[in-house]
Amino acid sequence: GSGMNVLPELADPAEKIERVVAGGADVIMTTFGIASKFADSIGSAALVLRVDGGYSQMAQNANPIRLIYSVEDALRLGADGVVCMGFPGSKFEAQTLPYLSELASVCYKWGMPLMAEMLPRGFEGGEDSRSPENIALACRMGVELGADFIKTDFTGDIESFKKVVAGTFAPIVVLGGGKAKDPIALLQQVYDSVQAGGRGVAMGRNVWRQPEPEKITRAIARILHEDAT
């Protein structure tokens, strides 16, 4: 909700967080405001803090994302990790890639795990922006710059994602994507990513926009932790 519209589904953050945690979520990835005001709801789940932003979908002109919080801020909140974007190939890569490396350096100093959300060309798109080759290259750039684990798009099939995993010397988790998916299609994507060597998921609206988010969370957790189909 710091840059994109999450209403009305996320109008009550406490209720959604508690349902997702009840479903077995290991981690809540969220913003400074949510983390500071809803710590009780997050409870025993780990916290990964989004530390970049500074843009809005209401802006008439595209602006670069930048770091808006520090590792020290994350530590004060009790965060177990931080996350930022990395947009190789986008017109803003000269901003996002250097701040990713700077953040990696500070995280290393403090022993704070860093997740990099590596998306070829960011949100600018392009016919081949999410090709398996570009996703593999973006993930490799993220770990070369110092990320401890990577969040990225699933390439669409097991064989091509295996190549992404093979070239990335850190765990990879897959995102859900901006558009809501049919629950079965979503769970199939999770299952396929794990078969290819993926280590987890980092999903937003494909979980909290579900009418019963604890159930989709529980199903994802069973695939990841119990080898369910």
Side-chain angles (χ1 to χ4, degrees):
S2 61
M4 304 287 194
N5 183 23
V6 297
L7 299 171
E9 295 92 344
L10 211 56
D12 184 352
E15 185 258 351
K16 291 289 186 181
I17 292 169
E18 288 165 10
R19 292 179 73 173
V20 167
V21 171
D26 301 292
V27 179
I28 299 297
M29 188 184 88
T30 192
T31 58
F32 187 95
I34 296 287
S36 60
K37 293 178 175 62
F38 297 98
D40 289 345
S41 298
I42 295 171
S44 61
L47 168 66
V48 169
L49 183 72
R50 166 75 64 187
V51 292
D52 60 349
Y55 69 95
S56 165
Q57 68 179 39
M58 290 186 285
Q60 295 184 358
N61 298 308
N63 296 301
I65 299 174
R66 57 189 177 85
L67 288 181
I68 54 177
Y69 298 103
S70 67
V71 174
E72 290 87 347
D73 292 327
L75 288 165
R76 291 188 191 99
L77 282 175
D80 301 282
V82 296
V83 57
C84 76
M85 297 290 193
F87 290 163
S90 81
K91 62 185 176 182
F92 296 129
E93 74 168 17
Q95 286 82 25
T96 62
L97 297 184
Y99 81 54
L100 168 56
S101 63
E102 292 165 8
L103 182 61
S105 176
V106 179
C107 284
Y108 184 77
K109 171 185 174 182
W110 286 103
M112 174 68 81
L114 168 62
M115 179 166 75
E117 190 164 348
M118 302 305 295
L119 302 177
R121 300 201 188 116
F123 303 127
E124 295 164 27
E127 188 173 338
D128 68 339
S129 62
R130 295 296 194 270
S131 69
E133 295 78 13
N134 282 345
I135 290 174
L137 181 56
C139 292
R140 181 57 180 249
M141 288 181 180
V143 292
E144 294 273 2
L145 290 171
D148 297 294
F149 57 118
I150 300 293
K151 174 185 176 183
T152 196
D153 267 325
F154 182 59
T155 54
D157 63 85
I158 293 174
E159 290 308 311
S160 64
F161 200 64
K162 281 182 178 178
K163 295 177 182 177
V164 177
V165 172
T168 306
F169 49 90
I172 298 178
V173 300
V174 296
L175 53 82
K179 295 181 180 179
K181 294 180 175 68
D182 171 80
I184 296 298
L186 181 69
L187 295 175
Q188 187 68 55
Q189 175 182 304
V190 175
Y191 179 81
D192 289 349
S193 72
V194 172
Q195 300 311 300
R199 299 292 295 277
V201 303
M203 292 183 176
R205 66 201 69 199
N206 270 288
V207 170
W208 51 254
R209 274 187 175 163
Q210 296 285 346
E212 296 182 276
E214 69 275 24
K215 290 186 177 181
I216 196 74
T217 304
R218 188 173 298 116
I220 292 171
R222 288 195 62 199
I223 292 171
L224 296 176
H225 297 309
E226 301 175 22
D227 298 323
T229 62

